[in-house]
Amino acid sequence: MEEKPNYHMSSAEFRQWGYKTIDWIADYLENVEKLPVLSQVEPGDIRAKLPNSPPQQGESFAEIFKDIDEIIVPGLTNWQSPNFFAFFPTGISAPSILGELLSAGLGVQGMLWATSPACTELETHVLDWLVDMLELPLHFKSSETGGGVIQDSASSASLVALVAAREQTTADISKLVAYTSTQAHSSIEKGFKIAGISSENLRLIEVDGNYAICPDALQQCIEQDIAAGLTPFYLAATVGTTSSNAIDPLPELGAIAQKYNIWFHVDGAMSGTAALCPEYRWIHQGLELADSYCFNPHKWMLTNFDCTCFYVRDRSKLTQSLSIVPEYLKNQASESGAVIDYRDWQIPLGRRFRSLKLWFVIRHYGIEGLQHYVRKHIALAQEFAEWVKSDSRFELAVNPPLNLVCFRHKGGDRINQTIVNSLNSSGKIYLISTKLDQKVTLRMSIGQATTEKLNVQQAWELICQIADAN
Amino acid sequence: MEEKPNYHMSSAEFRQWGYKTIDWIADYLENVEKLPVLSQVEPGDIRAKLPNSPPQQGESFAEIFKDIDEIIVPGLTNWQSPNFFAFFPTGISAPSILGELLSAGLGVQGMLWATSPACTELETHVLDWLVDMLELPLHFKSSETGGGVIQDSASSASLVALVAAREQTTADISKLVAYTSTQAHSSIEKGFKIAGISSENLRLIEVDGNYAICPDALQQCIEQDIAAGLTPFYLAATVGTTSSNAIDPLPELGAIAQKYNIWFHVDGAMSGTAALCPEYRWIHQGLELADSYCFNPHKWMLTNFDCTCFYVRDRSKLTQSLSIVPEYLKNQASESGAVIDYRDWQIPLGRRFRSLKLWFVIRHYGIEGLQHYVRKHIALAQEFAEWVKSDSRFELAVNPPLNLVCFRHKGGDRINQTIVNSLNSSGKIYLISTKLDQKVTLRMSIGQATTEKLNVQQAWELICQIADAN
């Protein structure tokens, strides 16, 4: 064989296979409803189809595409199916996909302002836009003391908030105590482990009948800890918990945080997006007391993962905690103090140009288009909740505040578990269960980009059929 | 205006704008050499061109593309220019861009095996391939006690290694001490801050004339710490430091780590890729003693950021440190123990289908094509080093082991700083300086996908011209 001078794809080949990939995605999304929602493969099935050794010589893209169809697709759990009701939605949309594509094509690093000023400035700008779009407290704007940054996930956002909070304290790390609810996301506890604070020092405060944190119980616990010589330093509240979409009472919690000088972090991972609509902005009442906040456009705002918008009241507290400046990262722009270097706002050094996809989504849909989807999903969820209420075999676990309906068959854990397992193994829909008050509870999360009323109706019919048969 | 029933792009529109985006990227990459490498905008220039408010109604993609050309492109530092010699390369390639595109189009979450089995199994498989491709220790394979996972960055990889190491200890956190060299990447110290360990407990061990860590100094420091009642627990070595590409002596360091029962992490962020070629595998001599290791295909292996391959000797130590299982993440596959849930191997919960791009790169280029680029870049760097040596005004700071040439004008810091500033403000090439032995030192990092000998020659001519004029 003749020696190859250059193994790159030519520009013409890139165009050809690029179009092909675009077409493949368009076809996939047009047909995803026909695929099983939960992948039906067994452990090891995918690997068994892959060659043991990597190729010595390059292969054609035609071969790669064949394997995508034959090997990869059967191993997908299809999050973009309109019949996906598990966990929380993971948003994608055409403009967002193209934003990711453009970011990949540019291949720039946004670790410092100087390493691509547009990457930093567009991010700051779009995150400022979102303060207005959600009517968030103004101190989260970059023109004030705060500012926003894109993190990969709410997990990382709560971790950097925790680290910033910890760095404000002078007490020994073993004396620091933090507070969240029994219903908070597992990432809060995981962040604790990573940040070196014993999970014994994380207090899981009891919740009320709606699974929202009890301010009185919090206050009592703080007083006890202080009396025991400990230092309360961090409180994480949730706007829309994972299990039941509970909304913690931010005004009361914020007042307590202020009284005891505790960093107040609010996690609005999925539900924060609802504040795009004025009628749902009550979920953020009290947010003006928060030191930090995040919500995930990658959940319910049609934007590809990863895109968590994280805001801080005082950006200097964040950068003081995370900035380390070796010689090779010094540059004139950074030293002038006139720019943001987002590497100091996050755990990794490198960063992709993630604001492109968010910018594309906001510009393509407009505020109006994004509000449309929030309203649509909430309306569908409320309608589903009515069906549950009107069926004597079922009950709501809580009244759904937004787009997540938690309900159960009154016949006990076993029948509820049977319903989940049957639904998921059918491949027709995917939903998951949780436990509320120790009882298996079904979660109907409605938020995929293409979910229509018919999909929700079919899901309910399927649930009723399984209930009938058991 | 008539009410819009659906704000999504139609499938036909997605295809149209998808092709357009592909073409835009192909054109950009064909012409990137003509753009200034370092963006020449001033702080605030980009934001000044963006509207203060987000649009109420959606805008057309034609308008968006206009703004990309007019607003975004001038604000880019063009990492994909063949004249980019700063920091480290950030690899992209046509197959990798298409892998990112496909991942975005599928929009699946790989947090659990069940949430897309192909996402987990392809990742495990390709990371096993890379063990063979780089001839890494076999215990890093998933069929043994270890395994590999894609992290966003070497920063996150060293942080999770640090957390796993910390969780193996029983000593109070204030008594834990760790070791790395004065030349280690800033992310090691940043990881320390995040993990709640005082930076006073991080020992920066002195280096030898090649800027590699001195084993004797390390051993002495450990003995002193033990005598002082402290508990050594973590040692981070580097294969190819950022400032000078120094390669720490892994066999000696590993022996010390074993003797004192210290977690031994090796960071091969850029340089690890060299081990694709048998003649450069000496860089990993002693790696069989490491507990964890990472290298970044997103630097020097033509793969888009983010793609750090992180390996552990004993995966159970990682998952014990990072696993928290709430009710809503329980599922039959996880409970069977037959699958990997990568959420327990990383900080965030969510994860993209990042192995697609790595799979595409390996399959498109083949081992042969990837080796070609390693050899080419090293040859260019070695040739550049010869030019430096043969010019009496300049000197090498160290003999370059691979593809990074550290050199300086003998005339002192000021002239070297002038050279860097003049080069970068010319827009013709971009390189950065560091300090070695307190002296400003220029770093010529050769590793971009399209860098040819002519680019390196032009860079050297430019450097000489500036030296002539000063």
Side-chain angles (χ1 to χ4, degrees), chain A residues 339-350:
Chain A
V339 301
I340 287 174
D341 290 326
Y342 273 130
R343 70 182 191 89
D344 296 331
W345 297 50
Q346 63 175 21
I347 295 164
L349 172 58

Side-chain angles (χ1 to χ4, degrees), chain A residues 161-170 176 233 317-318 320-322, chain B residues 192-194 196-197:
Chain A
L162 182 67
V163 170
R166 196 194 61 204
E167 296 292 304
Q168 307 308 310
T169 66
T170 51
L176 298 177
F233 83 110
K317 289 185 180 166
L318 195 62
Q320 278 159 20
S321 308
L322 295 170
Chain B
F192 249 66
K193 275 188 120 165
I194 294 165
I197 308 173

Side-chain angles (χ1 to χ4, degrees), chain A residues 5-9 11 14-15 18-19 22-27 30 38-39 41 43-44 46-47 50-59 64 67-68 75 77 79-80 87 90 92 94 101-102 104-109 113-118 121 124-125 128-129 133 142 152-153 155 166 173 185-186 189-190 193-196 243 304-305 320-322 324 326-328 332 339 343 346-350 352 360 363-369 372-373 421 432 435 449, chain B residues 5-9 11 14-15 18-19 22-27 30 38-39 41 43-44 46-47 50-59 64 67-68 75 77 79-80 87 90 92 94 101-102 104-109 113-118 121 124-125 128-129 133 142 152-153 155 166 173 185-186 189-190 193-196 242-243 304-305 320-322 324 327-328 332 339 343 346-350 352 360 363-369 372-373 421 432 435 449:
Chain A
N6 177 331
Y7 296 78
H8 294 317
M9 231 186 239
S11 190
F14 171 68
R15 289 172 207 258
Y19 302 164
I22 291 288
D23 283 332
W24 191 96
I25 292 169
D27 292 341
E30 278 181 47
L38 181 68
S39 174
V41 301
I46 305 300
R47 292 201 66 179
L50 295 165
N52 277 329
S53 303
Q56 185 64 31
Q57 266 94 37
E59 299 176 79
I64 293 175
D67 288 346
I68 293 168
T77 289
W79 286 68
Q80 302 313 318
F87 306 104
T90 195
I92 74 167
L101 170 58
L102 187 63
L106 294 174
V108 301
Q109 274 290 348
W113 179 87
T115 60
S116 266
E121 294 199 13
T124 307
H125 202 78
D128 277 353
W129 275 3
M133 289 169 70
S142 66
D152 60 5
S153 63
S155 305
R166 196 194 61 204
I173 195 167
H185 191 264
S186 56
E189 188 181 340
K190 186 165 175 172
K193 276 187 118 166
I194 294 165
S243 276
N304 274 75
F305 185 88
Q320 278 159 20
S321 308
L322 295 170
I324 290 167
E327 200 58 45
Y328 47 81
Q332 291 169 333
V339 301
R343 70 182 191 89
Q346 63 175 21
I347 295 164
L349 172 58
R352 291 164 26 248
F360 285 12
R363 293 188 67 179
H364 169 81
Y365 287 95
I367 292 170
E368 180 184 281
H372 169 83
Y373 282 95
N421 294 345
I432 62 162
K435 279 191 178 164
Chain B
N6 177 330
Y7 297 77
H8 293 318
M9 230 184 239
S11 190
F14 171 68
R15 288 172 209 259
Y19 301 165
I22 292 287
D23 282 333
W24 192 96
I25 292 169
D27 292 342
E30 278 181 49
L38 181 68
S39 174
V41 300
I46 305 300
R47 291 201 67 178
L50 295 165
N52 277 329
S53 303
Q56 185 64 31
Q57 265 94 36
E59 299 175 79
I64 294 175
D67 288 346
I68 293 168
T77 291
W79 286 68
Q80 301 314 319
F87 305 105
T90 195
I92 74 166
L101 170 57
L102 188 64
L106 294 174
V108 301
Q109 274 292 348
W113 179 86
T115 62
S116 266
E121 294 198 13
T124 307
H125 201 78
D128 277 354
W129 274 4
M133 288 168 70
S142 66
D152 60 5
S153 62
S155 305
R166 196 195 61 204
I173 195 167
H185 191 263
S186 55
E189 188 180 340
K190 185 164 175 174
K193 275 188 120 165
I194 294 165
T242 308
S243 276
N304 274 76
F305 185 88
Q320 280 159 19
S321 309
L322 295 171
I324 289 166
E327 200 59 42
Y328 47 81
Q332 291 169 334
V339 301
R343 69 182 191 89
Q346 64 176 20
I347 294 163
L349 172 57
R352 291 164 27 249
F360 284 12
R363 292 187 69 178
H364 169 81
Y365 287 95
I367 293 171
E368 181 183 281
H372 169 83
Y373 282 95
N421 295 345
I432 62 163
K435 279 192 177 163

Side-chain angles (χ1 to χ4, degrees), chain B residues 76-98:
Chain B
L76 296 175
T77 291
N78 294 291
W79 286 68
Q80 301 314 319
S81 168
N83 300 314
F84 184 96
F85 302 108
F87 305 105
F88 280 148
T90 195
I92 74 166
S93 63
S96 175
I97 293 168
L98 299 182

Side-chain angles (χ1 to χ4, degrees), chain B residues 245 270-271 273-277 279-280 282-283 300 371-385 400-405 446-447:
Chain B
N245 223 2
M270 176 185 69
S271 302
T273 298
L276 284 166
C277 304
E279 67 270 32
Y280 299 117
W282 58 267
I283 62 172
W300 196 21
Q371 288 174 333
H372 169 83
Y373 282 95
V374 167
R375 289 178 177 135
K376 176 174 178 169
H377 294 143
I378 294 177
L380 289 175
Q382 297 301 322
E383 199 168 357
F384 184 90
L402 300 166
N403 61 328
L404 174 70
V405 185
I446 300 176

Side-chain angles (χ1 to χ4, degrees), chain A residues 190 193-196, chain B residues 157-169 191 194-195 197 233-234 263 317-318 321-322 347:
Chain A
K190 186 165 175 172
K193 276 187 118 166
I194 294 165
Chain B
S158 67
L159 174 57
V160 298
L162 183 67
V163 170
R166 196 195 61 204
E167 296 292 305
Q168 306 308 309
T169 65
I194 294 165
I197 308 173
F233 82 110
Y234 183 75
W263 185 289
K317 289 184 181 167
L318 195 62
S321 309
L322 295 171
I347 294 163

